[in-house]
Amino acid sequence: MLGRIIIFICTLTLAISIFLFTSTKEAKDYEAKTDEGIHVATPLQVKVILQREYLDGEMSHETVNETIWAMEDFWAKYDHWQLVDMDENIVIFKQQVEDISPLLKANGYFGVSKDGTLAIFNGKTNPSTIIQSFFQIDLSKLESKKREELMNGIPVRTKERYFELIETFKSYSLPQQ
């Protein structure tokens, strides 16, 4: 129900924006009202920016050009997205993705930064390519095998492995100062 209310408000806002940015005659030529709702007689061209935010904090952006003939169809296409901003030329949507980013899946490695902070690196542990930092670890408490794995980099390929490694190393974290 809330989704339908949001879609209605967004549709109404866009229709008002179109009306305000065109003369009355142009607005009558632009929109044709039918029993199904507002349909565009001349298609509206908008740039749609899709932002995806992943569990690891990474954000991806995708830009698509849309031709809108019917506002209902446009809003239905993006009903699983949150409207962030919009004007007559650009509509920005955002979506929370319950997974780690493609970057982490392809090239993410857990390791330790120079100051002993658990981090994820883009590639094998290279301090200049930290993607995400967590907490400092007491390396002296780690068994030698785990310490060696961290120093060499532990690949992150799944959401489950991501959370598993954070939980594993949390017990070796230093107290916050």
Side-chain angles (χ1 to χ4, degrees):
M1 180 68 179
L2 180 61
R4 290 183 188 262
I5 292 171
I6 291 171
I7 289 172
F8 173 76
I9 291 170
C10 293
T11 304
L12 183 60
T13 303
L14 188 59
I16 291 170
S17 296
I18 292 168
F19 180 78
L20 292 175
F21 286 102
T22 60
S23 69
T24 305
K25 180 186 179 308
E26 290 170 334
K28 287 179 183 175
D29 292 341
Y30 190 78
E31 295 177 351
K33 295 184 191 249
T34 66
D35 291 337
E36 294 87 39
I38 297 173
H39 291 274
V40 181
T42 305
L44 177 63
Q45 300 289 325
V46 294
K47 182 188 299 185
V48 177
I49 300 173
L50 303 172
Q51 301 174 337
R52 290 177 181 88
E53 187 171 0
Y54 296 91
L55 292 173
D56 53 274
E58 283 294 304
M59 178 91 81
S60 70
H61 296 80
E62 177 185 356
T63 302
V64 293
N65 293 312
E66 290 279 359
T67 302
I68 303 173
W69 287 96
M71 294 306 298
E72 294 82 9
D73 295 340
F74 175 75
W75 293 116
K77 182 176 181 177
Y78 296 103
D79 70 341
H80 290 78
W81 293 81
Q82 177 186 359
L83 180 66
V84 174
D85 195 13
M86 120 179 141
D87 64 27
E88 73 268 13
N89 298 318
I90 297 175
V91 180
I92 302 172
F93 290 108
K94 184 176 183 179
Q95 187 178 68
Q96 300 290 332
V97 180
E98 292 300 314
D99 200 358
I100 61 174
S101 65
L103 173 66
L104 254 58
K105 288 180 180 182
N107 210 29
Y109 289 84
F110 271 97
V112 181
S113 66
K114 288 180 182 179
D115 70 350
T117 300
L118 179 68
I120 297 178
F121 296 85
N122 184 7
K124 294 281 185 167
T125 53
N126 178 349
S128 65
T129 60
I130 293 176
I131 297 173
Q132 186 178 19
S133 296
F134 298 95
F135 42 80
Q136 282 193 307
I137 299 176
D138 186 348
L139 294 172
S140 66
K141 290 185 179 179
L142 281 177
E143 56 190 68
S144 60
K145 182 179 178 177
K146 283 190 182 193
R147 183 174 32 246
E148 186 178 324
E149 285 178 346
L150 264 182
M151 295 303 176
N152 291 329
I154 303 170
V156 184
R157 299 294 179 252
T158 65
K159 173 175 82 169
E160 292 75 21
R161 182 75 169 149
Y162 173 82
F163 287 116
E164 174 191 329
L165 289 168
I166 292 171
E167 283 302 311
T168 297
F169 291 108
K170 194 179 280 186
S171 59
Y172 299 102
S173 67
L174 292 172
Q176 295 288 344
Q177 297 178 4

